[in-house]
Amino acid sequence: MNAEEFRQHGHDMIDWIADYLEHADQYPVMSQTRPGEIRDLLPDQAPETGEPMAQIFADFKRDILPGVTHWNHPRFFAYFPANNSGPSILGEMLSAGLGVNAMLWQTSPAATELEEKVMSWLGQLVGVPANFRGVIQDTASTATLCALICAREKMTGHRVNKKGVAGLENHSALRIYTSREAHSSVTKGARMAGFGDENVVLVDIGPKRAMDSADLVAQIAADRAAGHTPCAVVATVGTTGCTAVDLLTEIGPVARANHLWLHVDAALAGTAAILPEMRWMFDGLEYADSLVFNPHKWMFTNFDCSAYFVQDPDHLERTMAIHPEYLKTGHDREVTNYMDWGIPLGRRFRALKLWFVLRNFGAAKIRAMIAAHLALAADFAGWIDADPAWERLAEVPLNTVCFRYKPNGVTDEEELATINQALLDRVNAEGVIYLTHARLDEVFTLRLAVGQTRTEARHVAEAWRVLQKAAAG
Ligand code: PLP
């Protein structure tokens, strides 16, 4: 592809993306494709000779697009948002155009220094204590894995890095504490970091589904008595199921008194801390050793862009850094080499899209949009509360409403789960809205999460209409 062809196809594609985002609501939100259907449309071998872009793009529209679930559809209310925006897409495009690998300062000084700066901006915007420093990771799962590895190395005096798990003194099990509402990435990180599933202690939750700090104290004491070694606490600010908030002001002192690493997983909710009225979620953050939240969920920055903050970057570097000769430069003493701040060596220039978003939106606009999402979720919760045929199943501190259809007279839990699963399947097959479910204490719950860039009051009202119609018959 020469420069002229690139220009032409690039213009066509930007036009297409602009129209797509403007009219995403014309597609069924959840792809209606059957398993294997897309694969069967595609040839078994890659082409031997190049094909024209126009043909490839036409095939994309005909064969691929029907298999896309539209995460940036204004009526996408499933899982959690993964929203995007014009400035973010343009930043992503520039990053692809430059194609730099931001592993070392020297491999693209601007990538490193812009990342340092935007992470500092981001930290200030959501109230991260000033002594924390940030790095962009691909996902919250990776950031949590980094945190758990750092916790392990702190507890063992860097012995596991050196000697492997066999180097653990007395073979005493290192234990991690997290609430039973925590995301599966905590257990996955525990596996990957060598703790093992059985050493993830699921702490009880209180009435608001947040971690019960009294049970945390009890579990730590029981573990010590049993000869285990308490190592880390992972608190969740905004759980995946129902956005419950573990209180750092309660958990932080327990972690500190027991010399445990405190990692805060605020993957979704962290963005909301940009609102002064939501800042309470981060009260006690000064107790934390590390924090992750995802601008790629709710801050209009397309996937992937996960913000990881640490209180002690020297410890992170000591845990992660390996310096083979071919990666040494003359500047290593005076600069940040972000390859030492995480797992992969190669790193994308993600700071560019975040910089574009923060500058083009401005903090005030982001605040206004997040506040609007919270208000829309509160409206929906109000409609559920006002209708006796529906039941709300959790508080709504953020953007997610947990609820179910509860027709008059039906009290059996199994039957309610079957009714609501069928309702969910019907609604998603229709394609007007997309919702997913969770289980809270085994109770099957529908979830409506508001957070798309283009979601307005009329879209949430439509969700309510669709649900009522589906319930009626
Ligand atoms: N933590 C929480 C609380 C989440 O809700 C999620 C995603 O839903 C994750 C972690 C995982 O995020 P990622 O896909 O960035 O790893």
Side-chain angles (χ1 to χ4, degrees):
M1 184 180 294
N2 63 31
E4 239 354 275
E5 288 168 328
F6 178 74
R7 192 184 316 281
Q8 183 58 49
H9 297 304
H11 287 165
D12 290 351
M13 240 165 255
I14 288 284
D15 280 346
W16 187 88
I17 294 171
D19 289 341
Y20 167 74
L21 292 175
E22 188 82 2
H23 303 293
D25 59 355
Q26 72 188 6
Y27 299 96
V29 196
M30 188 187 82
S31 168
Q32 305 293 311
T33 308
R34 286 188 310 281
E37 205 176 324
I38 305 291
R39 201 175 43 231
D40 291 347
L41 291 174
L42 303 171
D44 290 335
Q45 269 99 38
E48 187 60 26
T49 51
E51 300 177 64
M53 267 317 288
Q55 181 62 51
I56 301 169
F57 196 38
D59 291 351
F60 159 78
K61 287 186 254 184
R62 193 193 55 210
D63 297 340
I64 305 297
L65 202 52
V68 170
T69 289
H70 299 279
W71 281 71
N72 279 276
H73 194 298
R75 292 188 301 268
F76 181 101
F77 299 111
Y79 303 104
F80 41 80
N83 60 23
N84 72 10
S85 63
S88 170
I89 295 165
L90 295 175
E92 186 82 300
M93 194 178 74
L94 263 192
S95 165
L98 295 171
V100 304
N101 186 330
M103 57 192 195
L104 295 164
W105 175 86
Q106 185 176 279
T107 58
S108 223
T112 296
E113 295 188 12
L114 187 65
E115 184 162 336
E116 292 179 301
K117 192 57 86 174
V118 290
M119 289 304 285
S120 163
W121 287 4
L122 198 61
Q124 293 171 52
L125 287 173
V126 300
V128 176
N131 61 326
F132 281 59
R133 286 192 58 203
V135 54
I136 304 179
Q137 306 273 5
D138 55 2
T139 59
S141 304
T142 301
T144 295
L145 173 58
C146 284
L148 294 178
I149 294 170
C150 285
R152 185 194 74 195
E153 290 310 289
K154 184 137 193 205
M155 182 52 68
T156 63
H158 294 273
R159 281 173 72 90
V160 177
N161 263 5
K162 203 161 179 188
K163 294 183 178 293
V165 280
L168 284 178
E169 264 170 276
N170 310 325
H171 298 284
S172 156
L174 296 179
R175 307 281 273 185
I176 296 168
Y177 306 87
T178 197
S179 104
R180 54 192 172 83
E181 291 287 314
H183 190 261
S184 55
S185 55
V186 179
T187 301
K188 194 176 223 180
R191 267 188 200 178
M192 302 300 122
F195 291 83
D197 290 5
E198 289 179 6
N199 291 308
V200 179
V201 180
L202 297 182
V203 179
D204 272 352
I205 52 173
K208 294 187 175 189
R209 314 198 73 80
M211 190 191 290
D212 174 359
S213 55
D215 190 50
L216 174 63
V217 171
Q219 298 281 2
I220 294 169
D223 273 356
R224 287 206 199 283
H228 299 320
T229 305
C231 180
V233 182
V234 181
T236 312
V237 169
T239 57
T240 313
C242 69
T243 66
V245 177
D246 292 349
L247 293 180
L248 305 179
T249 46
E250 289 183 8
I251 295 163
V254 177
R256 180 141 316 165
N258 285 279
H259 309 287
L260 307 186
W261 187 278
L262 175 59
H263 175 60
V264 177
D265 175 3
L268 166 83
T271 294
I274 196 169
L275 292 171
E277 64 272 27
M278 294 305 295
R279 198 54 74 70
W280 59 270
M281 294 185 309
F282 278 170
D283 286 350
L285 196 53
E286 64 279 5
Y287 290 106
D289 295 283
S290 53
L291 158 75
V292 64
F293 87 91
N294 287 347
H296 74 223
K297 278 189 162 51
W298 200 3
M299 205 182 259
F300 315 107
T301 308
N302 52 287
F303 190 83
D304 54 355
C305 183
S306 186
Y308 181 53
F309 292 92
V310 293
Q311 182 143 197
D312 181 358
D314 291 344
H315 178 71
L316 176 60
E317 285 197 64
R318 183 158 176 222
T319 302
M320 296 287 162
I322 297 181
H323 292 143
E325 191 57 35
Y326 48 83
L327 293 174
K328 290 181 181 159
T329 76
H331 296 289
D332 294 345
R333 277 182 213 285
E334 46 181 339
V335 298
T336 300
N337 287 323
Y338 272 130
M339 67 167 189
D340 296 337
W341 288 52
I343 294 165
L345 166 64
R347 308 182 65 256
R348 307 175 58 227
F349 191 174
R350 300 186 185 94
L352 211 45
K353 62 186 171 189
L354 191 53
W355 189 52
F356 278 27
V357 168
L358 295 178
R359 290 190 60 188
N360 189 252
F361 276 73
K365 174 95 184 273
I366 297 174
R367 275 188 213 104
M369 291 185 69
I370 299 300
H373 290 160
L374 297 182
L376 291 177
D379 287 348
F380 185 84
W383 302 333
I384 295 286
D385 290 349
D387 189 331
W390 298 80
E391 181 184 23
R392 187 152 60 80
L393 294 169
E395 291 196 6
V396 185
L398 286 146
N399 68 333
T400 304
V401 185
C402 290
F403 63 101
R404 66 178 170 182
Y405 179 49
K406 198 172 181 193
N408 200 6
V410 185
T411 50
D412 180 69
E413 284 301 329
E414 289 279 306
E415 194 180 343
L416 284 168
T418 308
I419 289 171
N420 279 276
Q421 178 72 68
L423 181 72
L424 181 66
D425 294 344
R426 271 203 308 283
V427 161
N428 288 339
E430 195 188 356
V432 178
I433 62 171
Y434 181 23
L435 301 179
T436 48
H437 78 283
R439 279 192 187 260
L440 301 176
D441 283 337
E442 298 307 311
V443 173
F444 185 95
T445 168
L446 304 175
R447 293 167 73 262
L448 177 129
V450 183
Q452 290 314 321
T453 312
R454 295 159 197 85
T455 298
E456 299 170 13
R458 64 194 166 99
H459 301 115
V460 181
E462 198 161 354
W464 182 222
R465 269 196 303 278
V466 166
L467 281 160
Q468 286 180 304
K469 200 174 104 214

